[in-house]
């Protein structure tokens, strides 16, 4: 609400919206910067929301589209079925199917979907991490793995077995082999062949998803020969990291700038030039 009332240099407009399945939660929308698209179309970020796999909706995160749109990046907001219907692996199958819908509708939105960057916060970060690490979900949705330019995890649960919270029990407690659901388990040499690069972002004061989730996953990806950067923010909370993508909290750029740089580095056709020549980051980068 606050973010929507802050003036921006460039606004956004809704280019496409629709459903990729019969359930109400199986919907997505694509927002693009106002004005003409660059040659080849707008670069694309696909954002998947958090909420413990039991709450949240794409429209709640339009502030992400506004912040990225101001920097010339189109944003797709993808929903997925929630618990109880959306228990593992439904949330992953839906996230992949939602990405497929975005790809199918990219042309009408003048968006480049051939090198999309996936971004997720909390439960949504888990979803995008698994799409990047376990090729089964993209394969089932008919999406070429090479179409992923990168994956950004904001406070993502990556190593949370055994399940000891209501959210994790409700979403994963029915799985016989709980370890198989974990991104840290999927970060193997075989799965990392052809995997996209990863940017893991985490606040050290996060008491909802502890920082060791990102630390352990970064170590596993590195050990498996994958590409990963880990950014930690001293004293930042679980909600604080995604609030860093909204005004007024995005003003210093400590959360937004590393994401912009990641998109610039890995999404073809994205040239930030002087704007991204130097990226201030607090915390540790590996």
């Amino acid at each position: 609400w606050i973010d929507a009332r802050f003036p921006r240099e460039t606004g956004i407009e809704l280019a496409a919206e629709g459903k990729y399945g019969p359930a109400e939660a199986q919907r997505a929308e694509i927002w693009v910067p106002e004005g003409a698209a660059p040659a080849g179309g707008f670069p694309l970020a696909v954002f998947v929301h958090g909420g413990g796999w039991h709450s949240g909706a794409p429209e709640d995160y339009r502030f992400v589209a506004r912040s990225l749109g101001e920097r010339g990046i189109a944003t797709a907001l993808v929903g997925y079925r929630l618990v109880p219907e959306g228990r593992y692996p439904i949330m992953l199958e839906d996230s992949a199917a939602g990405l497929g819908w975005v790809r199918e509708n990219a042309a009408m939105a003048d968006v480049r979907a051939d090198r999309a960057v996936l971004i997720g916060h909390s439960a949504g970060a888990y979803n995008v991490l698994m799409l990047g690490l376990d090729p089964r979900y993209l394969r089932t949705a008919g999406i070429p793995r090479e179409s992923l330019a990168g994956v950004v995890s904001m406070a993502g649960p990556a190593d949370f077995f055994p399940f000891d919270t209501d959210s994790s029990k409700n979403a994963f407690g029915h799985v016989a082999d709980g370890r198989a659901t974990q991104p840290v388990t999927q970060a193997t040499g075989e799965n990392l062949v052809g995997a996209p690069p990863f940017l893991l972002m985490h606040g050290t004061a996060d008491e909802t998803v502890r920082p060791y989730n990102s630390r352990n996953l970064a170590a596993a990806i590195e050990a498996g020969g994958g590409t990963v950067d880990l950014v930690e923010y001293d004293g930042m909370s679980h909600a604080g990291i995604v609030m860093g993508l909204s005004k007024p909290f995005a003003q210093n750029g400590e959360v937004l700038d590393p994401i912009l740089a990641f998109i610039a580095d890995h999404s073809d056709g994205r040239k930030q030039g002087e704007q991204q020549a130097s990226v201030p980051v607090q915390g540790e980068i590996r």
Side-chain angles (χ1 to χ4, degrees), residues 49-243:
H49 67 81
W53 302 287
H54 60 77
S55 65
E59 57 269 22
D60 297 338
Y61 292 84
R62 288 174 181 163
F63 65 87
V64 176
R66 287 191 286 269
S67 289
L68 294 178
E70 193 173 21
R71 276 74 175 183
I73 300 167
T75 305
L77 304 174
V78 174
Y80 52 95
R81 281 173 288 176
L82 303 172
V83 168
E85 185 182 3
R87 298 190 306 169
Y88 175 91
I90 295 297
M91 77 281 275
L92 303 179
E93 296 169 353
D94 276 9
S95 296
L99 176 58
W101 180 93
V102 172
R103 287 171 53 82
E104 291 171 0
N105 290 273
M108 76 163 64
D110 212 356
V111 166
R112 288 197 59 190
D114 59 327
R115 295 290 292 163
V117 172
L118 304 186
I119 306 174
H121 172 247
S122 192
Y126 169 85
N127 293 9
V128 300
L129 283 172
M130 288 294 284
L131 294 194
L133 288 167
D134 189 337
R136 292 178 298 170
Y137 301 104
L138 295 182
R139 186 184 308 122
T140 299
I143 300 172
R145 200 178 192 194
E146 59 270 20
S147 69
L148 295 191
V151 174
V152 179
S153 167
M154 307 178 72
D159 189 6
F160 56 98
F161 180 82
F163 309 125
D164 58 2
T165 66
D166 288 343
S167 293
S168 61
K169 290 175 183 176
N170 292 337
F172 301 94
H174 62 287
V175 180
D177 182 7
R179 293 192 181 279
T181 69
Q182 303 296 283
V184 71
T185 302
Q186 297 299 327
T188 64
E190 180 180 352
N191 281 355
L192 291 171
V193 175
F198 294 86
L199 172 62
L200 312 182
M201 313 175 76
H202 224 115
T204 63
D206 191 334
E207 297 184 356
T208 303
V209 178
R210 300 286 183 173
Y212 67 78
N213 282 268
S214 290
R215 294 170 186 162
N216 292 357
L217 179 58
I221 293 174
E222 288 177 347
T227 300
V228 60
D229 289 329
L230 172 63
V231 182
E232 293 188 296
Y233 296 94
D234 187 34
M236 186 173 286
S237 69
H238 186 70
I241 198 165
V242 73
M243 288 170 63

